Amino acid sequence: MDEQNLTGGNGEVKSVPESPKDKNSSMRLFVLLGLVAVVVGGMAALGAYKVYTKLSRDKFSLAVAKAFNFPAVKVAGEKIPYVAYAEDLKAIHTMRDYDQSQRDAGVPPDRSPGADLTEEQMSDQVLWRLVNNLLVNNAAKKYSVTVEDDDIKNLKAQMLQQFKDEATASEELMKRYGWDMKVYEQKVMRPFIVQTKLAKKMKEDPKMKEDLRAQAEKALEEIKKGADFAALAKKYNTDSTGERGGDLGWFGKGEMVPEFEQAAFSLKKGEVYPTVVESVYGYHIIKLDDRKTSKVKNEKGQNVNAEQVRASQVLFRFPDILSYLDQAARDGNIHLYLKVHNPFTELNVTATEKTSTSE
C-alpha cells in the first residue's frame, strides 16, 4: 500500500478500516478475557466458600487464599492472612498428634499435655499467637527493636543444650511441629526475642512514664469537674477492679503499698485525693468510699479495734509488655472473619465475626 492510500491531499492521516480478520481476532480476545475472568471469579468464590465455611486447608484452598489474600483476623487495621492461620493450625495439630502418640506409648500426661487439646483450644491458641505477634511487631517498630544474628545464635545455643546436636533438634522439631530449624527460628525464636527486648526497653522508657502521668493528671481534673469516677476506672483499669468501677473493697493498714495506704487513710468518706499518687504499680487516683472500725486479731491473737477503709482507684499502670499488649488488643478493634470460637470476646474488645472478604 503506497502513501496516497494513507493520507489525504492536505497530508492528513486517514484511518484504515479494520478488516474482518482483525475484528474476529479482537472478538476472540474479548471472549477469552471474559472466560478467564469467569474462571478466576469462580475459583475465588469456591475458595472463599471452602475457607470461610469449611475452614479447608487443602492445597487448592490455600493457593486461592494466598492469591486473593483472604484474611483470618484483623487487628489495629491490619489483616492477618488465612494462610498464616492454616499453617500454624497444622503445626499445632501435628503437636497434638505427637503428644497423643507419646501418651499412648506410656508417657505421663505432664510430659504430653498437647494430647488433651480440643479443636477450639487449638484454634484459640493460634489466633492469639498471630494477634500477639502482630502487636509485638508493631510495638517493636515504634521502639526501634530489632533482632540481630547474635540474638538468634545465642538463643539457639541455649535450646541445643537440650539435644545431642542440631540434627537431633531438627528431627525433634519435625516430629513435634512439622517444622525445620529455619521455620522454628522464624515462628518461635524471633517473636520471643522481640518480645523480650521490647519488654526491657519499655521499662527503661522515661517518655512513656511521663505520658502516663499526664493521662492520670488529666483524668483527675475530669473527676474534679464532675466526671464519673467508676466510668473512668472501667476505662483505664486493666485489672479486675475495672469491672467493679475501681472498687478495692475493705482493707486495713499494712495491706497496701505505703504510698497508697497513706493517701487512702488521710481521706474523709466521699473524698478524692487531691493529687495523683505514684507507687511501684503506677499512678493512682484514689477515692475513699467508706471507713469503719472493726475487731481484728493482732499478732498475739488478741482482739483489738482496727480502722479499715473501703477505697476505689483509677490506676494508670506502669508500662510492662503484658499490660501493653493487653491494652493494644483492647484498642485494636479485633475482627474475626472465620466461623470458629472467638477468643477475643474474653478481653472485652470489640470483636465481631465476619465471613465476607470485602472489608
Side-chain angles (χ1 to χ4, degrees):
M1 184 179 293
D2 58 27
E3 188 176 351
Q4 288 183 346
N5 292 330
L6 297 176
T7 61
N10 58 2
E12 181 182 355
V13 177
K14 294 183 177 180
S15 61
V16 179
E18 189 175 19
S19 68
K21 182 178 180 181
D22 291 336
K23 287 183 178 180
N24 290 336
S25 297
S26 297
M27 184 62 68
R28 283 196 296 270
L29 178 60
F30 284 127
V31 171
L32 179 60
L33 291 175
L35 288 173
V36 170
V38 170
V39 171
V40 171
M43 290 176 63
L46 178 58
Y49 170 77
K50 296 185 71 174
V51 165
Y52 291 110
T53 303
K54 304 294 185 181
L55 292 178
S56 298
R57 302 198 306 273
D58 57 78
K59 290 183 179 180
F60 170 80
S61 299
L62 293 180
V64 173
K66 184 176 182 179
F68 291 93
N69 198 27
F70 288 167
V73 63
K74 182 172 73 171
V75 57
E78 296 185 52
K79 293 178 180 178
I80 298 173
Y82 175 77
V83 171
Y85 170 82
E87 288 176 351
D88 283 9
L89 194 62
K90 179 181 178 181
I92 201 170
H93 270 94
T94 301
M95 184 268 288
R96 184 185 65 174
D97 294 344
Y98 176 80
D99 276 10
Q100 185 61 60
S101 68
Q102 295 292 96
R103 183 81 60 85
D104 294 341
V107 175
D110 62 332
R111 292 176 56 195
S112 54
D116 299 320
L117 289 173
T118 65
E119 292 293 329
E120 180 178 298
Q121 289 171 332
M122 288 189 290
S123 177
D124 285 356
Q125 286 189 24
V126 169
L127 288 169
W128 266 119
R129 179 182 175 278
L130 292 171
V131 167
N132 183 80
N133 285 352
L134 185 147
L135 295 174
V136 167
N137 287 335
N138 286 349
K141 293 174 185 176
K142 178 180 178 181
Y143 287 93
S144 301
V145 171
T146 58
V147 177
E148 308 298 335
D149 290 341
D150 283 347
D151 296 327
I152 294 288
K153 182 179 179 181
N154 293 335
L155 184 59
K156 188 175 178 180
Q158 294 178 34
M159 172 196 169
L160 291 178
Q161 290 177 4
Q162 306 172 48
F163 300 94
K164 179 182 177 181
D165 50 35
E166 185 169 337
T168 305
S170 296
E171 182 180 346
E172 183 68 19
L173 289 174
M174 186 59 66
K175 288 192 296 184
R176 179 170 285 275
Y177 302 109
W179 293 340
D180 58 22
M181 184 62 73
K182 286 293 183 183
V183 174
Y184 185 78
E185 288 177 10
Q186 187 67 32
K187 288 185 173 290
V188 178
M189 288 187 175
R190 283 185 176 275
F192 175 80
I193 292 168
V194 170
Q195 186 160 327
T196 301
K197 295 176 78 171
L198 182 61
K200 183 175 184 294
K201 196 158 189 176
M202 289 177 68
K203 285 184 178 180
E204 299 170 351
D205 181 17
K207 186 178 185 305
M208 180 173 279
K209 192 174 179 180
E210 292 172 7
D211 292 345
L212 198 65
R213 185 178 187 95
Q215 289 182 49
E217 290 176 343
K218 180 180 178 181
L220 178 59
E221 288 303 312
E222 291 177 9
I223 291 170
K224 289 179 178 179
K225 293 177 181 178
D228 184 72
F229 192 98
L232 288 175
K234 289 180 180 179
K235 179 178 179 180
Y236 293 112
N237 293 12
T238 56
D239 58 9
S240 60
T241 64
E243 300 173 1
R244 304 193 300 269
D247 182 19
L248 294 166
W250 291 97
F251 57 90
K253 291 186 176 180
E255 296 182 46
M256 296 290 183
V257 290
E259 303 89 348
F260 188 97
E261 177 186 295
Q262 182 179 359
F265 276 87
S266 71
L267 294 171
K268 295 179 181 179
K269 182 178 178 179
E271 284 185 336
V272 174
Y273 199 73
T275 61
V276 169
V277 176
E278 180 179 350
S279 78
V280 294
Y281 298 106
Y283 296 111
H284 307 259
I285 301 172
I286 304 170
K287 177 185 177 184
L288 189 70
D289 299 315
D290 205 353
R291 64 193 315 147
K292 66 181 180 180
T293 300
S294 302
K295 291 284 187 181
V296 298
K297 290 185 180 295
N298 62 15
E299 62 275 7
K300 296 180 180 179
Q302 300 169 328
N303 288 324
V304 295
N305 290 326
E307 188 178 19
Q308 290 186 310
V309 297
R310 183 168 188 166
S312 298
Q313 70 169 351
V314 179
L315 174 60
F316 292 80
R317 190 178 292 275
F318 282 148
D320 65 78
I321 188 62
L322 295 180
S323 61
Y324 177 90
L325 293 175
D326 178 82
Q327 191 60 48
R330 292 173 188 272
D331 296 338
N333 193 26
I334 298 176
H335 293 270
L336 180 63
Y337 293 87
L338 306 177
K339 288 186 176 180
V340 295
H341 175 256
N342 190 339
F344 307 115
T345 54
E346 299 173 6
L347 242 192
N348 196 30
V349 295
T350 305
T352 57
E353 294 184 6
K354 298 185 178 183
T355 57
S356 170
T357 61
S358 61
E359 182 171 338

